């Protein structure tokens, strides 16, 4: 009886150890489950808190606006345009850098909690992406033209372009809200494209 009880106790302890070991998976492991890519990211989250894991749904990646690029100290990376979740109200597009199938950087959001309802309307599409040195510091900045549907007025269902500018600073990018607001207020919508924005910002 004593030996039988001891065997049961040892078995229980071993099962507990196995469960504990399974709960503590290597945080640097990259896994792919179906259409989900789960990876580790060490940069700060857009809300200012550390985000240890970012999960990307491959179906939401916009392939024709995602590019392989050599980008400053990042080296060879892939810039990812990532669409909103289907059915999500006023969710905006978001952007990432990936390297070796890992997300290494998530770009800051324009709207609070990545929502568009206070400034743009509904996300429609990413029209273009440009990698240019906007502020002449020999670092590639990123300009994105994004189309939104405002729903206001007779042309409310016609997509309208808005610029998004990320200024490079070594190992991070800053959302240039002052430049974005300047372009929104002073450039005609029909003139909003990568080349015209670069020309407009030459003396800013």
């Amino acid at each position: 009886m004593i030996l039988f009880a001891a065997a049961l106790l040892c078995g229980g302890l071993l099962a507990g150890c196995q469960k504990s070991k399974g709960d503590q998976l290597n945080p640097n492991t990259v896994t792919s489950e179906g259409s989900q890519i789960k990876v580790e990211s060490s940069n700060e989250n857009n809300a200012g808190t550390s985000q240890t894991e970012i999960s990307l749904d491959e179906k939401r990646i916009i392939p024709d606006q995602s590019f392989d690029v050599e980008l400053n100290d990042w080296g060879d990376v892939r810039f990812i345009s990532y669409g909103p979740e289907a059915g999500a109200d006023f969710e905006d597009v978001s952007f990432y850098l990936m390297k070796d199938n890992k997300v290494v950087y998530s770009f800051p959001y324009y709207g609070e909690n990545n929502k568009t309802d206070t400034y743009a309307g509904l996300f429609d599409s990413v029209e273009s992406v440009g990698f240019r040195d906007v502020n002449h510091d020999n670092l590639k900045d990123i300009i994105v033209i994004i189309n939104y549907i405002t729903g206001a007025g007779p042309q409310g269902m016609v997509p309208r372009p808005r610029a998004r500018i990320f200024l490079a600073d070594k190992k991070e990018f800053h959302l240039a809200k002052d430049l974005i607001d300047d372009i929104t207020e002073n450039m005609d919508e029909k003139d909003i494209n990568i080349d015209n924005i670069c020309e407009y910002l030459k003396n800013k």
Side-chain angles (χ1 to χ4, degrees):
M1 287 295 291
I2 293 173
L3 290 174
F4 180 73
L8 283 178
L9 181 60
C10 287
L13 288 173
L14 285 172
C17 288
Q18 289 171 349
K19 183 170 187 259
S20 176
K21 188 176 181 180
D23 290 342
Q24 297 175 359
L25 295 174
N26 184 347
N28 295 317
T29 300
V30 180
T31 63
S32 178
E33 301 172 358
S35 63
Q36 295 289 327
I37 301 173
K38 294 184 178 180
V39 300
E40 290 299 313
S41 175
S42 60
N43 71 290
E44 292 296 302
N45 187 10
N46 288 284
T49 58
S50 178
Q51 182 168 329
T52 58
E53 184 178 86
I54 296 174
S55 179
L56 298 185
D57 183 345
E58 290 181 352
K59 294 178 182 178
R60 291 170 58 186
I61 293 175
I62 305 172
D64 62 340
Q65 296 300 333
S66 298
F67 304 95
D68 294 321
V69 59
E70 185 179 349
L71 203 56
N72 308 321
D73 289 348
W74 295 98
D76 294 325
V77 291
R78 185 161 182 81
F79 177 86
I80 299 293
S81 295
Y82 190 67
E85 184 177 0
D89 290 337
F90 294 104
E91 184 178 348
D92 205 353
V93 64
S94 49
F95 304 99
Y96 300 92
L97 292 182
M98 294 188 72
K99 190 168 188 174
D100 300 326
N101 203 36
K102 298 179 183 180
V103 172
V104 293
Y105 189 78
S106 59
F107 287 81
Y109 301 146
Y110 185 92
E112 185 176 356
N113 297 320
N114 204 31
K115 296 293 185 179
T116 66
D117 52 334
T118 60
Y119 73 93
L122 293 173
F123 168 77
D124 177 75
S125 60
V126 176
E127 183 174 313
S128 57
V129 179
F131 305 94
R132 309 283 186 89
D133 182 4
V134 172
N135 54 355
H136 315 294
D137 61 356
N138 296 317
L139 295 174
K140 287 180 185 175
D141 307 303
I142 300 174
I143 305 171
V144 187
I145 309 299
I146 308 168
N147 292 320
Y148 296 95
I149 295 173
T150 65
Q155 301 296 316
M157 298 308 293
V158 176
R160 302 175 66 179
R162 295 285 295 267
R164 187 79 52 87
I165 300 175
F166 301 104
L167 296 179
D169 180 15
K170 297 298 182 182
K171 279 296 185 178
E172 61 182 340
F173 290 83
H174 303 281
L175 185 66
K177 280 200 170 186
D178 53 342
L179 298 181
I180 294 169
D181 293 342
D182 187 340
I183 290 167
T184 302
E185 292 170 9
N186 297 302
M187 285 189 70
D188 194 304
E189 287 182 357
K190 65 180 176 57
D191 296 327
I192 294 180
N193 61 53
I194 302 296
D195 289 335
N196 287 346
I197 287 173
C198 289
E199 185 66 28
Y200 177 79
L201 295 177
K202 271 186 178 179
N203 299 316
K204 296 292 180 181

